[in-house]
Amino acid sequence: MTVVLDFDALRAQAMQTVFRAFERASEGTLIVDRECRIVWISERHARRFGYDDPAAALGKRVEDVIPESRMREVVQSGRPILLDILETPKKPLVVMRLPLKEGGEVIGGVGIALVDEWATLSPLVSRFLCMQQELAAARQARPAPRQAKYSFSSIVGTSPATLELKRTARRAAASHAPVLLLGETGTGKELLAHAIHGASARAHKPFVSISMAAIPDALLEAELFGVAPGAYTGADRRERHGKLHIAQGGTLFLDEIGDMPLAVQAKLLRVLQEKEFEAIGSNEVVRADVRIIAATSRNLAERVKQGEFRADLYYRLDVLAIRVPPLRERTDDLEPICESMLEAMAEAQPGCHRELHPQALALLARQPWPGNIRELRNVLERAMVLTDATLLGAADVQAALDVSTPLGPASLPAAADAAPAGQPARAPMAEGHAQAMSLYERGLIERALAESPSVSAAAKRLGLGRATLYRKMAALGISPRARPQAPDFPP
């Protein structure tokens, strides 16, 4: 017996079965025609939007029943919206919208409310949040962009020397010519290089720095110009870009250029003259769009005479030479520089705010500062470590300076005014708290030394480290076997 199957009826029955399964499993279903009029809506879905009888919603525009519906967008575009959130009077729904097609033509659309309990989607939401966290971690792990860290506002001071330095540097920033920064170590040449780049037309491009003194001569060429794949035995099979390539479009800062080997000087001269370079082991010529700022604490003219620096390279670098004055030539800036440094240290270590007494500032102004700004910062940091006092006095600064000439009582003004007989001496207002504390500290240390068998025992009695006590003794001019001086202090 032959069975004849009606495939159209079978397909219609299958589709009806699938639709009913979706309808039972879903939170609500509706069907619209090509004009987006509702032709069928489930009872549960109709009640959600205020229709106790689903038949009352039939024939209405879908937006009149479901104000936030996007079914019209699906019907007009013919593209599905697989997952979306639909706002309802009670709580949001996760919905899916599909176009209905016949013969390639859209004849309507079907909308299915999948879930109304967010817990059902917790695996998907958890995975999404996890991916967001991984993306945020990856962004934080990326190397920071090579940009200027300082601006001209970072150069503290209003002395004539500082104002002239800023004026000249701003003119250099407006140019594309090489800049040569001359000055002693610690004067802030790299900070000035950052400021010039930040004020130039290349500010949005990389700022790359490299110190000639910090890299061995054998590696310097590769560090500057890069290495082609397999350029020599043991070289990486992948290309390694040098600092010139990384700085393309921006600024390359060459610190301590006076220490650059002669062989590398020749290749740098080609960069300045021909605006091109080649990586080690490569025949490919790379166009160099880089602005060079060089710095040195050496006398380049003297090194040219000695044959240690190429004269042609010196002339190419010396187009815009800027001399950065040492700290001893801008002592008028000492107070604002110290204030700026102490504020920065307080921000780095909350609760460690310090101020300088005028006599401490006067003591700093008398120093030669061979290490300039860098040495000054070191002294202030050391003074903060050696004392807990909020006001750093002359004795505190002298201890930090650790000079050969101690600051004893003869170097400090008298601590007290003369007082009538029978009354205790009083400290003058002009000399203030710092001087009185210095004399008190001196007497306290002398008494501890006199009553202790050793310096170590005296340090333990005072609650100080042995090295700290020795530094304070040197600063105050106290010998290890000192005896207390009048006026005496209580134990």
Side-chain angles (χ1 to χ4, degrees), residues 30 45 48-50 62-71 83-97 112-116 118:
L30 66 85
H45 210 38
R48 180 177 283 114
F49 294 97
V62 66
E63 295 90 347
D64 294 337
V65 178
I66 306 175
E68 302 294 333
S69 176
R70 296 176 63 188
M71 285 302 303
L83 281 179
D84 194 14
I85 297 176
L86 175 66
E87 295 292 338
T88 73
K90 292 185 178 180
K91 55 184 175 180
L93 296 173
V94 178
V95 299
M96 177 173 64
R97 305 180 183 96
I112 303 171
L114 299 175
V115 291
D116 62 356
W118 291 101

Side-chain angles (χ1 to χ4, degrees), residues 328-453:
R328 59 182 172 274
E329 293 181 10
R330 42 184 296 218
T331 53
D332 291 347
D333 297 333
L334 193 63
E335 184 174 0
I337 290 175
C338 289
E339 289 178 355
S340 176
M341 288 181 175
L342 291 173
E343 287 177 3
M345 295 174 196
E347 290 179 2
Q349 302 178 33
C352 295
H353 180 71
R354 299 287 194 277
E355 293 182 3
L356 278 175
H357 189 276
Q359 287 197 349
L361 190 63
L363 178 62
L364 292 174
R366 294 196 298 267
Q367 304 306 312
W369 299 115
N372 294 288
I373 304 294
R374 188 179 295 118
E375 182 186 3
L376 174 62
R377 184 179 183 87
N378 177 270
V379 168
L380 292 178
E381 286 182 330
R382 191 185 309 165
M384 289 179 64
V385 171
L386 293 179
T387 181
D388 294 328
T390 302
L391 186 66
L392 299 177
D396 301 317
V397 170
Q398 186 68 44
L401 286 167
D402 198 20
V403 293
S404 57
T405 304
L407 182 62
S411 302
L412 288 171
D417 286 334
Q423 295 185 14
R426 61 183 184 275
M429 294 300 293
E431 293 167 355
H433 176 267
Q435 288 70 32
M437 288 302 297
S438 296
L439 290 179
Y440 181 86
E441 184 178 40
R442 177 185 179 84
L444 199 65
I445 291 174
E446 288 178 341
R447 186 181 186 91
L449 289 170
E451 298 179 358
S452 303

